[in-house]
Amino acid sequence: MEKNKALSHAEEIKNGIKAKADKNKSWSTFFFAVIILATVISPTLILVSDNDILSKYIPAGLSILAAIAAYWIQIRKPNERWVLYRTYQREIEYEISQYKFETGKYNTAEDKDKLLANSVNDKALKLHYDWVPIVPKATDVKSILPSPKQLNDGN
């Protein structure tokens, strides 16, 4: 195996994981900002306005928006995903550094390229297995929604 091929493979996996970490961090930050702004602005509008649109409808809409954002964060767990992806990104960066400088297990390895490819592949597979429990399931959605009996009883 060529040295550049193993290193390119490791970099490609690392960059893919980094992109996922960045995306989850962005979504998390965005939805937390929505929640904070909506919950701060709503009572302010109620206090400062006599206009029905500003004092009732816009705060109601902001409250709905905050609830949807909180629901999305609870179901999708972007913070947990961000931590998971960033951790594996750093682990692969560490592997790449050890490989480049021939330290750690790469100091004495006979075939450093195969060792790097194997280590990165193992981490990518472990990342998948660690990611699976975070994926929302139908039961997660059902546990948040009221049951039909609760809707009919008004409880």
Side-chain angles (χ1 to χ4, degrees):
M1 181 177 273
E2 296 176 27
K3 183 173 186 174
N4 290 338
K5 194 172 184 181
L7 187 56
S8 295
H9 173 70
E11 292 284 350
E12 182 180 330
I13 298 293
K14 179 200 65 144
N15 290 336
I17 292 170
K18 180 185 183 311
K20 290 176 184 177
D22 292 344
K23 180 181 79 170
N24 279 282
K25 183 180 180 184
S26 295
W27 279 116
S28 179
T29 303
F30 172 75
F31 280 109
F32 274 117
V34 167
I35 292 169
I36 290 168
L37 290 173
T39 55
V40 169
I41 292 171
S42 291
T44 306
L45 289 174
I46 292 168
L47 285 173
V48 301
S49 178
D50 292 333
N51 182 325
D52 277 353
I53 291 175
L54 284 177
S55 67
K56 291 181 182 176
Y57 299 116
I58 292 177
L62 289 172
S63 294
I64 291 168
L65 191 61
I68 290 169
Y71 173 78
W72 191 88
I73 287 172
Q74 184 179 4
I75 292 295
R76 297 289 299 175
K77 302 173 184 144
N79 283 356
E80 289 181 43
R81 290 175 185 222
W82 173 74
V83 169
L84 181 67
Y85 288 130
R86 193 66 78 209
T87 298
Y88 278 94
Q89 174 195 339
R90 298 294 184 232
E91 286 183 13
I92 292 173
E93 287 170 351
Y94 179 72
E95 288 287 333
I96 290 169
S97 290
Q98 283 190 320
Y99 172 83
K100 284 180 177 177
F101 297 105
E102 297 181 350
T103 60
K105 62 187 175 188
Y106 298 98
N107 187 25
T108 57
E110 285 185 30
D111 194 344
K112 295 171 178 57
D113 300 324
K114 285 184 181 177
L115 182 59
L116 176 64
N118 191 48
S119 293
V120 169
N121 288 338
D122 286 346
K123 288 184 188 309
L125 186 59
K126 186 168 180 341
L127 167 59
H128 172 74
Y129 291 132
D130 288 347
W131 168 81
V132 168
I134 299 173
V135 175
K137 298 167 188 58
T139 54
D140 296 336
V141 175
K142 287 180 185 176
S143 68
I144 293 171
L145 299 174
S147 70
K149 183 179 183 329
Q150 289 174 321
L151 290 174
N152 292 334
D153 293 344
N155 294 331

